[in-house]
Amino acid sequence: MSTSHSCYPVMVPFEDVLFQVRKALQVGPSLLYGLLEELHEARVFSTPFYRSLFKDGGQSLAEILFNDEEDLARRLSLPIWQKWDVSQVILDSALNIEEDLSAFLNSPDAESQDMIDTIDSGLDLLPDQLVSDIIDSILSEDYFEDILADPSILEDDFNFPCDADTACTLTSENAAILDQNITRKRKGKDASKSNKTPTKRNRKGGSALQIIQTSGSLARPLISTVVPFRHTYVIVSPQPVSPVTQILPVSPAVGTVAPPELTVAVLPVGTLSDSASKGLPSHPVDTLSPTKVDSSNTCVLADGKPRKNIDSPPPKPAAKVRPEAPKCVKDFIHRAKPYIRNVCSAMRGGLGMESHYIDMHLIPRKLLIKSGKNANKCLEKELVVLSDSERKKSQLDRSQVFQNNLPRPKHSIAILGKTGVGKTAMIQRLCLDWASGSLSQFQFVFLLDCKNLDLKKSSYSLKHLLFDLSVSPRCEESDAVFKHVLSSPEDVLIIFDSFDDIKDFEGLLQAPAKSPKDTKYTVKQLFSGLFQKEILPGCTLLIATRPKEVLNQVLRKMDSLLELCHFSPEDIELYTTKYFRDSSIQEKALQKIQNKKYIFSICSNPLLCWTTCFLLEHQDGNGEALPSTLTELYQKVTSKHLQLASRENSSLSNPKRKEIPQLCKTAWEGFKNHNTHINIDGSPELVDYCLKSGILASYGRENHFEDLYIQNLLGALHSVQSKQVNEKMLLAHSVVQQKKRKVQGESQDVMQSFVTGLLFQKARPDGVSILDGNVDVQAKRKAVETHLLNLKLNELNPARLLELFHCVYETSNAKFARLLLKKLPDNLSFCGTQLCSSDVYVICHLLQHSTTLKRTFSINLQETSIPISDLRELVELKCITSFWAHTGDTIALWEDLHHSNNELNLKGAIEKFTLNPLKATQGHHIENLPLLVHIHREKKLPMSDFVPTLNEGVPALRHLQKLEFELGVQNGPEMFPKLIEVLPSLQSLQHLDIEKNKIGDSGAEKLAGVLHFLASLKWLNLSQNCIGDAGVKKLAKALVRVPSLQSLSLYGNLIADNGAEELALVLPDMKLLQDLDVKFNKFTDIGAKKLSAALKNCTGMKSLELWNNCIPWGVFEHLHQQDPRIRSL
């Protein structure tokens, strides 16, 4: 990568540094001591200066801070300003921790709030004089410093009854103990100190400080200090400290600046690879030295001193004994189970749950949490996409939904799935399990369908929500039962089905319900209170929802995310046999489905499988084939629904069918407003007609469209065949856009397919039609065709490209498909877009037209979860010359082809597989490479003998030229050994980027051991990896053995004078080296002069970038004048 640098860096005035120091002094005292210690360890403060801070004229640091904060700020600012590139990282880390702590204290969770409230009420019990004495003893004497030095003092002094998971309770007895301890501490004090004027309790005014005990040890270290694994006491000011008015410094002079790049958090922009920073965590990383972790759960610091791992999970609490339930509670549960069994036993179309339900697997999913301006992208891009092999290994069945193998409680669960995948059926099945006694951990199950709830009405209490709005029988003694529910929240399961029907998600987690009693709230506030444990803490929440962008704020905080799988081919066959009771009909129906490959692929969606079976059941002739597109399928099915309703009731025939255009208009308006609710005033007969036909479904007092597909088909009919929607409106709402944000999400994908399908139909279908004679459908078709052909296909993201493929398929127009194929880029990427069987069929179908155009493509299938069987279909296409898929899945494909004796296709699959360029951003990009290398070396597959096709190894490894290792400081050190294992086999590698992975000296030594294998390497980036002199010494000897190396970056490491000298010794022997970047290391003018002297013997070098703040500016300018190739940037 090329990086542009400005000639002169941005300078930071001393006043700005002083301001940052003032802010840092506002942090809590424990953070401040850790901050000063880390600045000392980083050699920002000299040892004499550091010691002088703690004993200055008999004053402690705490006294100096309170008496003359400004003087202390000035004293600290000068050395910090002089070494600002190091200091800023440490200051930012301290301020970030302070902000996190403030956020915790200002908006605590329910448990923490209870803790603080308990202490507040306890302090109110103490006499005012005693409270004053407590605070004065902390702030005016050395007692506070003793606490920082030995936190066990607090446990001794505040030694009253306290549970590990609750706040301390200050009773009158506790107060007496506290008073005795304080008196004992004061007796040991020096007489001179006792005569001092007591320090004010709060020098800026306001109420007294609060002392709270956290529920456990702090979860992460403060700065780099070791936090004891014991109770932690936090002293909190209830009022924020306002910033001190800035005073211009006296010395250094105003306008004095510190040299370069002092405005960034870690190191200035200017490395050879800017993209590597994507793997970094959101907080700054200490670059002093790498940390090693051993298998005994003990962190080993760089100096060899072990420390206890404070992040180890706490022990699980003992199981709570369930109290005896009153008779009224037992009676309610006894009546609730058969009631729920009766409600949840029916499926769509009159089918029974017991007879037709197909058990489906669930896949645990994790969110890839992003930070920055793009953090709110759609959920599909944030979910970590698993490979097909990983999905198969991690499958769970229904009985494991509530199992918890984690150290923390599993109180919130989300079941995710697209429309029709069976989320509601899964919820019904879980409720039936409870009714039959399978879910014994729950006494109560409350099922709420969000389509039935009035989400805007502020008239619901928690009791009303659970007993009046859920699927439950009428409870005569609801007060007594609700009281039992409040006393045993861990026995309660609350289910929100169709959670995505909550339209307004803005502020969903704000203003949560606080009281479980009779206070009135909206449904959203009640959900927020339950979710944030403000009310009924300890209950289990289960939501079923489609993945939607606006739900990110909720899903990120869920304890468990489970994705519901689609039907497998075996499930499709099983469902068909259950749907058709007659064995002869079963065979014919299954044969028809399998003959239409597209229909068979969409039957992986249970709703579409039922739709197909419904159409087969009601076809007029046995010889009639199934439709070939989704548009035609739903036209026929919707028409069949209306016909059946008309046959059942002759009064609902033609007169009411004339009102179908009104229904279509309502569907279109609902699509634009993200609403499935239907409200047709003045036409109850039409509503009844639609309810009987299965187009609408009743949910309490409201009616909704039965499913998204029916609503979108009717809406598409209105947009295409009604004059109320012109070409401009049609293009704005229902056609693939270049970059416009998709507001409707999945619904818009279906609408786009239906609109293009209806526009390009050659003849009027046997289905629903509302064609207005005044509408020019051809004009709308021309507008859509022109729009699609004008799209810049090489700029479409993978999801939009897939949408376009589906729209083109729905047209069934080969000519139009070829026009678009001509514009497709040579490199197709679906990376990051999850592909199902119907997606793969559509892609294959369209690419097959490319044979007549003599077009070939490479295709990126990384992060797509493509099934191995579908991967095989794509790879076997003649127009696909190369593909990149998950390495583990690719090896599984090879084995599948080998075992089926399909050697010709095996050869093609091996030769087409590519890795170049390999950009490793996740662990699985690297972890399967050693197996690939083993195949390459042994010339055989893992479960096979010698494979002739592998006689020359794996071409993907032989041809790999560029590798970017971007796993970051969290995952990089763990995966780096696997990279070292692979590198010797990459003999064609020319570009190796390992920036910001914190490999340290040990990693540099490992890399040095394999560099001699990389005979073609031209570009090596080892920037910001905590490499010191020991690592550089090993690297320097190895770099000489890489004769082709032209560019080397060691930017931002820990190289001192000895390391610079090692580089200087080998520099003349690196004959082809043109650029060396060693900026922002730790060597002084001594090391700089060594490198400058070596540069004189390197006539082929074009640049040497060596500036850092340890080199006096005058010395650097002198070196630059001697040799202009020496640069600062």
Side-chain angles (χ1 to χ4, degrees), residues 816-836:
F816 184 60
R818 284 193 292 269
L819 288 175
L820 278 172
L821 273 172
K822 290 179 180 179
K823 299 187 62 180
L824 279 178
D826 293 334
N827 299 315
L828 301 178
S829 176
F830 296 97
C831 181
T833 302
Q834 199 162 332
L835 299 178
C836 62

Side-chain angles (χ1 to χ4, degrees), residues 729-926:
M729 293 174 62
L730 184 67
L731 294 176
H733 289 94
S734 50
V735 179
V736 178
Q737 301 293 325
Q738 187 77 44
K739 293 183 179 179
K740 185 178 178 182
R741 182 170 173 261
K742 279 188 359 180
V743 180
Q744 287 86 359
E746 182 187 356
S747 179
Q748 189 163 343
D749 296 344
V750 178
M751 175 65 75
Q752 290 168 175
S753 295
F754 283 156
V755 166
T756 51
L758 291 170
L759 284 173
F760 282 82
Q761 278 180 339
K762 295 179 180 179
R764 185 170 178 177
D766 179 21
V768 183
S769 178
I770 60 168
L771 188 61
D772 189 333
N774 298 323
V775 177
D776 187 356
V777 177
Q778 293 301 319
K780 291 185 177 182
R781 170 179 170 174
K782 185 64 177 178
V784 170
E785 184 176 352
T786 303
H787 172 82
L788 294 178
L789 289 174
N790 288 335
L791 290 174
K792 298 177 181 178
L793 303 190
N794 60 330
E795 296 180 8
L796 288 179
N797 64 38
R800 295 290 170 89
L801 185 62
L802 181 61
E803 293 167 26
L804 179 63
F805 273 52
H806 275 282
C807 289
V808 174
Y809 176 80
E810 290 295 321
T811 65
S812 300
N813 189 312
K815 180 180 177 181
F816 184 60
R818 284 193 292 269
L819 288 175
L820 278 172
L821 273 172
K822 290 179 180 179
K823 299 187 62 180
L824 279 178
D826 293 334
N827 299 315
L828 301 178
S829 176
F830 296 97
C831 181
T833 302
Q834 199 162 332
L835 299 178
C836 62
S837 295
S838 59
D839 297 326
V840 176
Y841 177 85
V842 166
I843 295 170
C844 290
H845 183 271
L846 184 58
L847 292 181
Q848 283 173 352
H849 291 286
S850 62
T851 54
T852 58
L853 301 175
K854 298 181 180 180
R855 292 283 322 265
T856 57
F857 304 95
S858 65
I859 188 167
N860 185 352
L861 300 170
Q862 280 283 318
E863 322 294 339
T864 60
S865 297
I866 181 171
I868 294 175
S869 58
D870 294 331
L871 176 62
R872 176 176 178 172
E873 287 189 30
L874 267 174
V875 171
E876 290 179 357
L877 291 177
K878 293 181 179 180
C879 62
I880 298 296
T881 57
S882 63
F883 75 96
W884 185 17
H886 187 276
T887 306
D889 287 351
T890 302
I891 295 173
L893 171 64
W894 295 347
E895 290 187 319
D896 182 52
L897 291 170
H898 180 66
H899 292 152
S900 61
N901 295 321
N902 196 338
E903 296 301 323
L904 182 61
N905 286 330
L906 173 61
K907 181 180 179 181
I910 292 175
E911 291 177 349
K912 290 180 179 181
F913 179 58
T914 183
L915 290 170
N916 190 52
L918 175 56
K919 189 172 185 178
T921 56
Q922 296 186 39
H924 69 79
H925 292 153
I926 295 294

Side-chain angles (χ1 to χ4, degrees), residues 276-460:
S277 61
K278 295 176 183 176
L280 284 172
S282 57
H283 57 277
V285 180
D286 178 18
T287 57
L288 290 178
S289 59
T291 301
K292 299 173 288 183
V293 181
D294 65 10
S295 58
S296 63
N297 203 29
T298 302
C299 292
V300 183
L301 302 181
D303 57 7
K305 297 179 181 179
R307 75 177 184 198
K308 189 174 182 179
N309 187 350
I310 62 169
D311 292 326
S312 57
K316 293 185 178 180
K320 181 179 177 181
V321 179
R322 180 177 291 174
E324 180 70 20
K327 183 178 183 302
C328 61
V329 173
K330 294 180 179 179
D331 291 342
F332 173 76
I333 296 173
H334 182 72
R335 288 185 294 110
K337 289 187 175 182
Y339 183 90
I340 286 183
R341 187 183 299 114
N342 181 58
V343 172
C344 295
S345 293
M347 298 175 68
R348 183 175 178 178
L351 304 180
M353 181 69 70
E354 296 294 340
S355 59
H356 288 81
Y357 181 75
I358 305 294
D359 253 327
M360 298 169 67
H361 292 291
L362 298 120
I363 306 294
R365 299 294 297 273
K366 292 182 180 180
L367 277 174
L368 182 63
I369 304 300
K370 299 181 179 180
S371 59
K373 63 181 181 180
N374 293 324
N376 291 321
K377 290 187 176 180
C378 70
L379 179 65
E380 284 295 328
K381 291 185 180 178
E382 291 203 6
L383 283 172
V384 177
V385 181
L386 303 176
S387 68
D388 186 56
S389 53
E390 289 171 334
R391 290 172 68 87
K392 289 176 181 177
K393 290 177 183 177
S394 61
Q395 283 181 350
L396 305 175
D397 58 36
R398 192 177 74 248
S399 63
Q400 297 173 287
V401 169
F402 301 104
Q403 286 184 5
N404 184 23
N405 298 321
L406 301 174
R408 57 190 177 91
K410 186 178 178 180
H411 288 318
S412 55
I413 305 166
I415 294 179
L416 308 175
K418 293 187 175 182
T419 298
V421 79
K423 300 181 294 297
T424 297
M426 170 64 77
I427 294 297
Q428 290 178 250
R429 186 66 257 183
L430 288 171
C431 290
L432 289 176
D433 290 343
W434 174 76
S436 63
S438 297
L439 300 178
S440 58
Q441 65 267 46
F442 300 115
Q443 275 190 309
F444 302 93
V445 171
F446 297 102
L447 173 59
L448 295 148
D449 193 329
C450 292
K451 290 181 178 178
N452 288 337
L453 304 179
D454 187 342
L455 303 172
K456 296 181 179 179
K457 191 175 180 181
S458 301
S459 60
Y460 302 120

Side-chain angles (χ1 to χ4, degrees), residues 376-380 499-509 545-556 674 741-745:
N376 291 321
K377 290 187 176 180
C378 70
L379 179 65
E380 284 295 328
F499 189 74
D500 46 287
D501 277 300
I502 298 179
K503 299 298 178 295
D504 182 15
F505 290 97
E506 292 299 327
L508 178 61
L509 299 184
T545 180
R546 284 179 284 172
K548 294 182 70 173
E549 173 183 353
V550 290
L551 279 172
N552 286 351
Q553 58 176 319
V554 176
L555 297 181
R556 287 174 182 171
H674 324 283
R741 182 170 173 261
K742 279 188 359 180
V743 180
Q744 287 86 359

Side-chain angles (χ1 to χ4, degrees), residues 128-259:
D128 290 343
Q129 184 58 43
L130 179 56
V131 175
S132 176
D133 290 343
I134 294 171
I135 304 302
D136 288 345
S137 67
I138 292 175
L139 299 181
S140 62
E141 301 178 6
D142 288 343
Y143 180 51
F144 186 70
E145 291 183 28
D146 294 339
I147 292 173
L148 296 176
D150 184 10
S152 63
I153 293 175
L154 274 175
E155 296 186 5
D156 296 333
D157 287 354
F158 299 90
N159 187 23
F160 34 79
C162 184
D163 192 297
D165 295 320
T166 59
C168 299
T169 305
L170 295 178
T171 63
S172 56
E173 295 179 1
N174 297 338
I177 295 172
L178 187 61
D179 191 20
Q180 292 173 9
N181 285 331
I182 293 172
T183 303
R184 176 174 52 80
K185 287 287 180 181
R186 286 185 166 181
K187 287 181 179 180
K189 295 296 179 182
D190 187 78
S192 61
K193 289 187 178 181
S194 65
N195 295 328
K196 289 183 181 180
T197 304
T199 306
K200 295 180 181 179
R201 291 197 302 165
N202 189 339
R203 61 193 182 95
K204 292 186 181 290
S207 58
L209 300 176
Q210 296 174 327
I211 305 172
I212 66 172
Q213 177 196 351
T214 64
S215 57
S217 65
L218 293 180
R220 76 186 209 192
L222 305 178
I223 317 291
S224 293
T225 58
V226 179
V227 181
F229 191 77
R230 55 165 66 94
H231 301 315
T232 306
Y233 298 87
V234 183
I235 302 176
V236 185
S237 172
Q239 293 185 349
V241 180
S242 57
V244 182
T245 305
Q246 293 190 49
I247 303 175
L248 293 178
V250 177
S251 177
V254 176
T256 304
V257 293

Side-chain angles (χ1 to χ4, degrees), residues 499-570:
F499 189 74
D500 46 287
D501 277 300
I502 298 179
K503 299 298 178 295
D504 182 15
F505 290 97
E506 292 299 327
L508 178 61
L509 299 184
Q510 298 175 6
K514 299 283 187 179
S515 172
K517 302 297 184 180
D518 296 329
T519 309
K520 304 298 183 183
Y521 300 100
T522 63
V523 172
K524 286 171 56 177
Q525 289 175 319
L526 287 169
F527 172 80
S528 181
L530 290 167
F531 184 66
Q532 299 185 67
K533 302 179 179 62
E534 296 285 352
I535 54 176
L536 210 61
C539 73
T540 300
L541 276 181
L542 173 64
I543 70 171
T545 180
R546 284 179 284 172
K548 294 182 70 173
E549 173 183 353
V550 290
L551 279 172
N552 286 351
Q553 58 176 319
V554 176
L555 297 181
R556 287 174 182 171
K557 298 181 180 180
M558 282 282 172
D559 296 328
S560 175
L561 297 178
L562 301 174
E563 179 195 349
L564 199 56
C565 293
H566 287 71
F567 275 172
S568 66
E570 295 76 19

